[in-house]
Structures are given as C-alpha cells and as structure tokens.
Amino acid sequence: MNKISIIIPVFNEVNSIIKLVSHLENKAFQKETIEIIAVDGGSTDGSQDKIKASSNVKLVQAGKGRAIQMNVGAKVATGNVLYFLHCDSYPPHHFDRIINDAIQQGRQAGCFRMKFDYAHPVLMVSQWFTRFNHISCRGGDQSLFVTKKLFDEIKGFNEQFIIYEDNEIISRLYAKKQFVVIPEYIITSARRYQQNGVWRLQYHFIIIHLKRRLGHSTESMLQYYKKNIR
C-alpha cells in the first residue's frame, strides 16, 4: 500500500473538520497508511484548537487561499500519494484502498464521482455529469489524488488562482493523460448552494467557467466571484 497524505485546507471550519477526520478514520481501509494534514489559513472560530485536540491530525499554518494552503500541505506530506480534500466532502468506504488500486493500474491522478447531500433538480443534473472523464465535468468538490512525483513535476497548484485553483491544476493533469474518474461516489455538502440559492449559484459558476475559457484574468474572475457569491 502506498502511503496517502490527505491534505485539507481549513478556514473557519470548526463545525466540519473533526467530523471529517472521524469519517476518514472510520472509512479508511488501513489507517496506518494514511496521514491527515489540516492546513489552516488563519481561522478565527476555534478551528485550530479543535484540530490540535485531535492527536491524529497534523496542523500546519499557511497564508489564506486554497492553492497556497494545499501547496504548503504538500511540502510537509510524507506520503508518496497526495489526496486533496475539501472540509465538507466525504470520501467513500475504503477510499484509500480504491485510490491505491487506481495507482497500481498505472493512473497517477484522478478523482471520485460526486453526489450532493441535498436533493435538487439542478444539483442532480450537475452530479450526474461527474461520471464522465472530461475536463468540463471536473471540480474540487470531487477531491483529487495525485502521486507526489507527478505533483512535483507539474509544480503544484498555481497560487495566482484564488478561486478556480482546482480546475486549473486538473487541466494540467489532463494534459499528462493520467487522469481517471473512479466510479465510487464522494458525498459533498450543498451548503453554499443553499446559502446562495441553487439556480443563482449555478449561473454564477457558469459565468466564471466562461470567463476562464475566454481568457479573462484571474483578477477578473476573483472580482466577479466576490461580487456575486457569498
């Protein structure tokens, strides 16, 4: 079994982080071959204290921003496989064995299919498309595993991307023709859709995707995000 370093960017996630850690420990096939790294971007809600209270989690400090936090986590990781995971996404039973199987089959990067924890027609359509192995069907909520060797080869996350950092690195992994979509499902919280309105948030995400395709700057994408999404 490869050792898997699970890297979780955290910012004010006091109600989520320990729940996720418990899930990972309960669902792992072999707990001895995973390490959990929480990379905190300056939380002010007690998240750091919660993490420190868990003896099974390595707490690392970083500047705010998922790309920055995940690169910092990768630097301290001791596993030869990196698994980037959002704080409100829950991988399937024996996720570590499933990822190892994919790597043994020669795939150096990939993700799971995804389901939301909230039934809504728009989200049901969106999650259905995650079964297809095409860049337009990818997103950070599906999580991302990549060998440390390949991650270092492509020089990690692009820290110029304050948003859209997952899609940007995945596009570079697709260029390596190593990406696989595992048919098991990760369950992701729909809380942001519920906060912003499902139709409204989906519309704004489409606009951001279009801005990226049309060559808009990272600053333009970020300003649109800040203006329209809570």
Side-chain angles (χ1 to χ4, degrees):
M1 290 276 286
N2 291 288
K3 182 176 182 179
I4 300 176
S5 295
I6 305 167
I7 300 167
I8 308 166
V10 177
F11 182 73
N12 289 343
E13 292 285 0
V14 68
N15 295 321
S16 302
I17 183 62
I18 299 306
K19 180 182 176 184
L20 176 59
V21 169
S22 176
H23 175 91
L24 293 171
E25 292 174 342
N26 289 331
K27 297 298 182 180
F29 176 71
Q30 197 168 335
K31 286 196 292 186
E32 297 78 13
T33 60
I34 67 170
E35 70 171 347
I36 303 173
I37 303 169
V39 188
D40 189 84
S43 295
T44 58
D45 68 342
S47 293
Q48 296 178 28
D49 293 334
K50 281 282 189 182
I51 296 166
K52 288 176 183 176
S54 175
S55 59
N56 298 325
V57 183
K58 182 186 296 184
L59 174 63
V60 182
Q61 306 288 343
K64 185 183 176 183
R66 276 182 176 162
I68 295 170
Q69 290 169 249
M70 291 189 284
N71 279 342
V72 168
K75 286 177 183 176
V76 303
T78 60
N80 53 345
V81 178
L82 307 176
Y83 183 43
F84 298 98
L85 183 65
H86 289 181
C87 212
D88 56 359
S89 296
Y90 299 89
H93 187 62
H94 288 175
F95 64 91
D96 51 334
R97 178 185 57 77
I98 296 168
I99 290 171
N100 265 295
D101 287 348
I103 291 170
Q104 293 298 322
Q105 293 165 12
R107 299 296 189 174
Q108 295 186 55
C111 68
F112 291 102
R113 294 181 185 179
M114 185 192 73
K115 288 182 180 178
F116 287 103
D117 64 357
Y118 174 62
H120 186 285
V122 170
L123 300 184
M124 291 174 73
V125 171
S126 178
Q127 68 190 27
W128 184 80
F129 278 99
T130 65
R131 70 189 60 218
F132 298 110
N133 196 352
H134 189 275
I135 183 61
S136 63
C137 302
R138 299 283 72 81
D141 288 334
Q142 294 174 254
S143 69
L144 170 67
F145 74 84
V146 56
T147 62
K148 183 73 160 57
K149 179 181 178 183
L150 180 55
F151 183 82
D152 290 341
E153 181 182 324
I154 65 171
K155 297 182 170 52
F157 286 88
N158 185 338
E159 295 180 6
Q160 292 183 350
F161 284 78
I162 306 302
I163 62 168
Y164 212 81
E165 73 289 333
D166 298 298
N167 297 74
E168 194 281 329
I169 193 173
I170 289 171
S171 68
R172 287 184 280 131
L173 291 171
Y174 263 96
K176 294 289 185 179
K177 303 188 184 304
Q178 287 292 325
F179 206 91
V180 63
V181 179
I182 297 171
E184 281 82 1
Y185 288 89
I186 188 168
I187 306 299
T188 292
S189 170
R191 59 181 176 172
R192 291 177 67 207
Y193 284 92
Q194 292 169 302
Q195 290 167 355
N196 289 273
V198 175
W199 288 97
R200 181 174 178 273
L201 185 56
Q202 191 71 6
Y203 168 79
H204 289 313
F205 280 159
I206 290 170
I207 296 299
I208 290 170
H209 279 290
L210 286 174
K211 279 179 171 287
R212 170 67 174 161
R213 289 287 182 90
L214 294 172
H216 285 235
S217 67
T218 55
E219 182 62 26
S220 171
M221 293 164 61
L222 178 60
Q223 290 304 317
Y224 183 89
Y225 181 96
K226 286 182 174 179
K227 179 181 177 181
N228 295 288
I229 300 174
R230 296 197 299 270

